[in-house]
Amino acid sequence: MLVSTSLPVPLYKTFDYKVPTGIQLPKIGCRVQVPFGRQTLVGLVIAYTNVEDCQIPDNKLKTITTIIDKTPIVDEKWLKLASWLSNYYHYPLGDVIGVMLPTLIREGKPIHVASPHWRILPEILSSQTKNNTAPPQISARAYKQIEHYKSLCVFGENGIDETQLNKHNLTKAYLQKLADKQIAERFLQTPAEPKQAKIIESPLSLNDEQSLAVTTIVKAQNKTSYQGFLLNGVTGSGKTEVYLQAMQPVLKNNQQVLILVPEIGLTPQTQARFANRFEANILLLHSGLNNRERLAGWQHCRDGQAQIIIGTRSTLLYPFKNLGLIIVDEAHDASYKQQDTLRYHAADVALYRGLQQNIPVILGTATPSLEHIKLVQDGKLTELALSKRAGAAKPPEFYLVNACNKNTTYIQQANGQAVDSGLTNEVVNAMRKHLQAGEQVLVFINRRGYAPILLCHACGWQADCPRCDNHLTVHQSQLNTQQPSYLKCHHCDWQSYIPTSCPTCGSHNLDAIGMGTTRLTENLHALFANPQTTKQTYPIIQIDRDTTRQKGSWQKIYQTINTGEPAILVGTQMIAKGHHFPNVTLVVMPTADRGFLSADFRSPERTAQLIMQVAGRAGRGEKTGKVLIQTLQPDNPLLLELVKNGYQPFAQTLLNERQMLGLPPFAFAGVIRCEAKNHQQTIAVLNEAKSLLPAHHQLTVLGPVDAAMKKKNNRYQSQLLLLSKNRQQLHTVLNTWWLTVKNLPTAKYVRLTLDIDPVVW
């Protein structure tokens, strides 16, 4: 027998190897080290092949170098998932498995690694806990060390897993100081079997809609069969409580629960909600982990140590010992779609994995995507509607504010010049009223930095990225002089200093045009936080990638907000998803409706989702919320439909338009993107690919055309769009045509990628 191995190479095939004489055949699912050309690679055994069936001559067959694992590291269902991903997304199986496995596993490192723990030395623990005092080695003024010592004592001789330090506000630096004083130690420990998960906080009482949703989900669990649910609940309707109560029987049966969230920022908050309800092993998985932490998480999922797993989209690809329920929170979010390598959509893969495991899958959202609404209408998803906010909370009231110049509030600068604050008089007055009432105000602007454009008023020059078809964003702060000032491209990360004069005409009349979070924060500071201009000052909290870059910064901001003290929160879509701020009673959106004017056919849907998600942060407590949308088009029919009738009728209007136009979800799409250093080359390759399509393919073919961003990072991008009313018909063509395109001689000098079910084109 030969061993068929998948290798991390961009080839649509597996590779057969001989087994060394006298060595037992490696089991399917084990890793092996094999020669490949001039290098040695780590591959995964996926099948066996008879020598007679192999088309390669015996003298050219190579032999496995090392069998790394004695027992399989993944099971048959996991391999079938990998095969399905490869077939559906037309991506090489070896590269699919490479995406699914953590880095250290791909490198051949041992799987069963004891995890590092920290504990107080047993002899110190036994002697000091009697009188409840810190050891004499710790100075009385070393408050942090004393705090860490007392926190570590709580965990006893078993200690705390190193991956859980942040959760308990423990840092390695102070623990190492305790270790240097021979008070604590870092040791390796194999995790014990987890205890039965317990409820430590009484469940909340449910309204009729919530109760029906929980009952329906639990019935599907009892049948041990797949069923997909769309939990369609308005913001603040208590979707999380439905999750929590649906999880109870799963955890009671010693099964695992997987909860997907769209952003890393949501994971600590989500963890706190579940930790308050259940005494269970809760695992956080996201891109902020290092390789060792990721390997430990992968191992805990596989071995059943993790009972509740909270993670971003890649967590869905992990192996699980006994998965009982999958929850996809904010299922409409575009970040669930992977935009490079294996371009999968986590919500779609979750439904497939639920079918594979015979378990329920819950897609929770307040603003379902049109694709999910269509699945409900087709009977492929069961809708569970939550139309009312939980408890006494009421839905927010929407108001459109005409943002024409005559209504604008101006700020007087030190030089006597008046500048536009970006907010109308009506909005500023409403903000002041809510702040004076002791409430919080959220101002949403989905653009970070100071300003999106730097313009010369003398000749019209603009600061553009030399590597992309994109303007450079101005980053500067007049409030924080320590913060560097620079121009940056948010697509390729190219940076430059801010010129003092125009590079084209030499004029000093340069102006930052437009507004980002930093500029809006400064304008609000002048209106609400400057003691020279206002009697009562309020803190302005900026929330975007720039202010949450440091580890733990988002947690600190979140704690500040949850004090409930009156404040103004200024942020991007980071604050639009899933956060619960009980004292936010006013939401202001100065530019939220501009997405209705985009050329992207999905833009109205995304804009409406964003508006409703941001609006949902208002009035989640006992006080009624209010939403002010500044707009230059108060008579925009789409905006009026959304504000007056809500998201569901708005979405149905868009769905009817899509059906008339033959666009997704009434058609199935694949986009072939070509990237090269020469623009003409990308068009030529795509035209050649187009000419190879079967004569009677019955597909709608658009292009080749330039991508939305023609030039990015010094490479040109063009695309070819394939549309079909039948999914199977599209994949039948792609099964043969795509491999032919990849093997074109001209394709060797460009980068060709295929995106199935694209969210952007």
Side-chain angles (χ1 to χ4, degrees):
M1 298 291 289
L2 300 176
V3 173
S4 292
T5 308
S6 70
L7 297 176
V9 293
L11 298 173
Y12 291 77
K13 58 189 286 190
T14 57
F15 302 87
D16 294 333
Y17 286 89
K18 294 179 181 178
V19 179
T21 306
I23 301 297
Q24 188 176 1
L25 201 67
K27 296 180 180 179
I28 292 175
C30 290
R31 292 171 299 164
V32 292
Q33 200 172 49
V34 297
F36 187 81
R38 297 182 180 180
Q39 55 186 331
T40 301
L41 299 178
V42 174
L44 197 69
V45 177
I46 60 170
Y48 302 131
T49 306
N50 288 314
V51 176
E52 297 81 7
D53 297 333
C54 183
Q55 299 179 355
I56 300 175
D58 186 70
N59 62 340
K60 291 190 176 181
L61 281 171
K62 295 183 179 181
T63 304
I64 291 173
T65 306
T66 308
I67 298 174
I68 298 173
D69 305 303
K70 293 182 180 179
T71 57
I73 65 168
V74 290
D75 60 16
E76 183 182 357
K77 284 186 177 180
W78 188 90
L79 290 172
K80 284 184 177 179
L81 173 65
S83 178
W84 178 82
L85 288 167
S86 175
N87 293 331
Y88 185 79
Y89 291 103
H90 301 273
Y91 201 69
L93 179 61
D95 281 346
V96 168
I97 291 175
V99 170
M100 296 175 74
L101 292 176
T103 302
L104 294 180
I105 296 179
R106 297 199 304 267
E107 293 175 352
K109 297 293 190 296
I111 298 285
H112 297 283
V113 180
S115 56
H117 282 59
W118 286 87
R119 69 178 175 185
I120 299 297
L121 290 171
E123 58 270 24
I124 299 288
L125 191 65
S126 60
S127 63
Q128 294 300 316
T129 50
K130 293 178 181 178
N131 52 20
N132 196 28
T133 59
Q137 298 97 308
I138 304 178
S139 168
R141 290 185 291 181
Y143 304 115
K144 279 288 185 182
Q145 292 181 42
I146 295 174
E147 182 182 321
H148 277 61
Y149 167 78
K150 290 181 178 180
S151 297
L152 207 54
C153 281
V154 175
F155 298 98
E157 292 187 5
N158 292 328
I160 178 175
D161 192 314
E162 196 169 78
T163 60
Q164 300 295 310
L165 294 180
N166 288 339
K167 175 183 173 182
H168 297 278
N169 296 320
L170 296 171
T171 58
K172 291 182 185 178
Y174 286 105
L175 293 178
Q176 187 59 50
K177 289 181 180 180
L178 296 180
D180 294 340
K181 294 177 179 178
Q182 297 184 339
I183 296 171
E185 68 172 346
R186 183 178 185 265
F187 67 103
L188 297 177
Q189 177 173 294
T190 303
E193 283 292 322
K195 298 178 182 179
Q196 173 80 49
K198 296 179 181 178
I199 298 176
I200 56 178
E201 182 184 75
S202 299
L204 302 177
S205 58
L206 302 177
N207 60 34
D208 293 342
E209 291 178 330
Q210 289 175 309
S211 182
L212 177 62
V214 172
T215 303
T216 307
I217 295 167
V218 172
K219 280 183 180 178
Q221 293 168 3
N222 294 336
K223 292 179 182 177
T224 62
S225 62
Y226 161 75
Q227 190 169 353
F229 296 99
L230 177 65
L231 186 61
N232 184 2
V234 298
T235 53
S237 59
K239 292 187 289 295
T240 304
E241 185 62 29
V242 172
Y243 300 156
L244 289 165
Q245 297 200 24
M247 288 165 56
Q248 288 178 210
V250 179
L251 296 171
K252 189 176 180 180
N253 291 334
N254 291 319
Q255 292 179 292
Q256 297 167 295
V257 177
L258 172 62
I259 302 111
L260 296 184
V261 292
E263 297 282 352
I264 294 177
L266 291 175
T267 47
Q269 174 197 344
T270 308
Q271 181 192 24
R273 292 289 300 276
F274 289 94
N276 290 337
R277 177 64 58 87
F278 298 107
E279 183 182 321
N281 285 351
I282 301 178
L283 177 66
L284 292 185
L285 293 172
H286 49 74
S287 59
L289 303 179
N290 60 39
N291 286 339
R292 193 164 192 84
E293 291 170 332
R294 191 174 295 278
L295 172 59
W298 188 91
Q299 181 181 335
H300 291 166
C301 291
R302 172 182 173 270
D303 295 343
Q305 296 292 332
Q307 296 166 306
I308 300 174
I309 302 100
I310 304 169
T312 48
R313 61 174 178 262
S314 60
T315 311
L316 186 63
L317 307 180
Y318 279 33
F320 298 95
K321 184 178 181 180
N322 192 12
L323 192 60
L325 177 65
I326 300 175
I327 298 169
V328 184
D329 195 28
E330 308 291 349
H332 66 278
D333 200 280
S335 61
Y336 281 125
K337 173 71 172 179
Q338 177 75 19
Q339 296 292 356
D340 55 13
T341 61
L342 174 64
R343 290 169 167 80
Y344 66 95
H345 196 295
D348 296 338
V349 179
L351 294 174
Y352 174 82
R353 191 147 200 191
L355 176 65
Q356 185 188 39
Q357 302 279 152
N358 284 322
I359 59 174
V361 179
I362 305 172
L363 306 182
T365 177
T367 53
S369 68
L370 300 191
E371 282 76 9
H372 292 158
I373 294 174
K374 178 71 162 51
L375 288 177
V376 169
Q377 295 175 355
D378 292 344
K380 295 178 180 178
L381 284 178
T382 301
E383 183 176 21
L384 303 172
L386 304 179
S387 60
K388 298 176 289 186
R389 283 196 161 186
K394 297 180 180 179
E397 301 171 353
F398 285 83
Y399 297 92
L400 297 182
V401 179
N402 194 332
C404 62
N405 289 335
K406 65 179 181 179
N407 295 329
T408 300
T409 296
Y410 286 87
I411 299 170
Q412 200 74 21
Q413 291 186 323
N415 59 7
Q417 184 180 359
V419 296
D420 187 345
S421 67
L423 301 170
T424 64
N425 298 326
E426 182 180 343
V427 166
V428 172
N429 292 334
M431 290 175 65
R432 186 166 282 113
K433 180 180 177 181
H434 282 258
L435 291 168
Q436 288 172 350
E439 299 162 357
Q440 294 174 333
V441 176
L442 188 154
V443 184
F444 172 78
I445 178 168
N446 203 22
R447 181 179 285 152
R448 63 189 177 103
Y450 184 80
I453 298 173
L454 183 66
L455 174 73
C456 173
H457 283 287
C459 69
W461 169 86
Q462 296 180 21
D464 293 330
C465 177
R467 302 193 298 196
C468 303
D469 284 340
N470 185 52
H471 298 307
L472 293 173
T473 300
V474 181
H475 284 263
Q476 65 182 23
S477 176
Q478 297 175 3
L479 294 176
N480 184 5
T481 55
Q482 301 297 321
Q483 182 176 317
S485 299
Y486 57 94
L487 299 171
K488 183 176 181 178
C489 174
H490 288 169
H491 295 276
C492 72
D493 289 333
W494 191 88
Q495 293 189 27
S496 168
Y497 65 91
I498 299 178
T500 56
S501 60
C502 175
T504 301
C505 69
S507 171
H508 294 280
N509 195 9
L510 298 179
D511 191 13
I513 304 296
M515 185 176 297
T517 49
T518 304
R519 189 174 202 166
L520 182 56
T521 299
E522 292 184 358
N523 291 348
L524 289 169
H525 183 274
L527 292 170
F528 294 98
N530 188 347
Q532 297 178 349
T533 58
T534 180
K535 294 180 181 179
Q536 178 67 44
T537 60
Y538 302 96
I540 317 292
I541 304 172
Q542 182 178 336
I543 308 168
D544 55 27
R545 286 188 185 178
D546 298 323
T547 60
T548 59
R549 196 180 303 277
Q550 293 183 352
K551 197 169 187 178
S553 55
W554 170 238
Q555 287 87 335
K556 291 179 182 178
I557 291 174
Y558 197 80
Q559 290 171 2
T560 303
I561 297 171
N562 279 335
T563 62
E565 294 298 318
I568 300 175
L569 321 180
V570 182
T572 59
Q573 59 181 334
M574 285 183 65
I575 56 175
K577 306 168 187 174
H579 299 298
H580 181 68
F581 304 135
N583 203 32
V584 170
T585 57
L586 176 64
V587 166
V588 176
M589 297 184 235
T591 58
D593 65 321
R594 292 183 181 178
F596 289 130
L597 306 176
S598 172
D600 181 1
F601 79 95
R602 292 188 190 273
S603 187
E605 176 189 1
R606 291 201 195 100
T607 301
Q609 288 170 339
L610 198 53
I611 288 175
M612 299 307 291
Q613 289 288 333
V614 178
R617 301 315 108 204
R620 296 175 71 92
E622 297 178 356
K623 303 171 184 175
T624 304
K626 188 175 181 180
V627 180
L628 300 181
I629 302 175
Q630 282 192 183
T631 176
L632 291 170
Q633 291 187 317
D635 55 350
N636 185 310
L638 285 175
L639 183 58
L640 289 172
E641 170 81 13
L642 179 67
V643 170
K644 290 181 178 179
N645 301 322
Y647 180 78
Q648 302 303 326
F650 174 89
Q652 189 58 52
T653 299
L654 291 185
L655 207 57
N656 295 338
E657 289 180 1
R658 298 268 188 96
Q659 186 172 16
M660 288 188 292
L661 296 171
L663 292 172
F666 297 93
F668 304 95
V671 169
I672 293 84
R673 295 187 176 93
C674 184
E675 184 181 304
K677 291 184 177 180
N678 182 282
H679 178 241
Q680 288 73 24
Q681 191 177 14
T682 63
I683 298 294
V685 171
L686 289 178
N687 273 321
E688 189 175 358
K690 184 177 178 180
S691 69
L692 295 175
L693 282 166
H696 306 288
H697 54 69
Q698 296 184 326
L699 303 180
T700 300
V701 183
L702 302 175
V705 295
D706 294 338
M709 183 173 288
K710 179 180 174 182
K711 183 184 177 185
K712 184 176 179 180
N713 205 8
N714 277 335
R715 294 181 68 84
Y716 291 91
Q717 301 180 82
S718 302
Q719 61 189 34
L720 188 68
L721 174 65
L722 307 180
L723 280 173
S724 173
K725 293 184 178 180
N726 183 283
R727 190 194 302 271
Q728 188 58 46
Q729 188 180 75
L730 173 66
H731 286 274
T732 300
V733 171
L734 290 172
N735 283 335
T736 54
W737 175 76
W738 176 239
L739 288 178
T740 306
V741 171
K742 292 286 286 186
N743 292 325
L744 282 172
T746 51
K748 295 179 182 179
Y749 309 104
V750 299
R751 184 176 179 231
L752 281 170
T753 57
L754 172 60
D755 189 357
I756 300 295
D757 302 330
V759 295
V760 176
W761 74 59

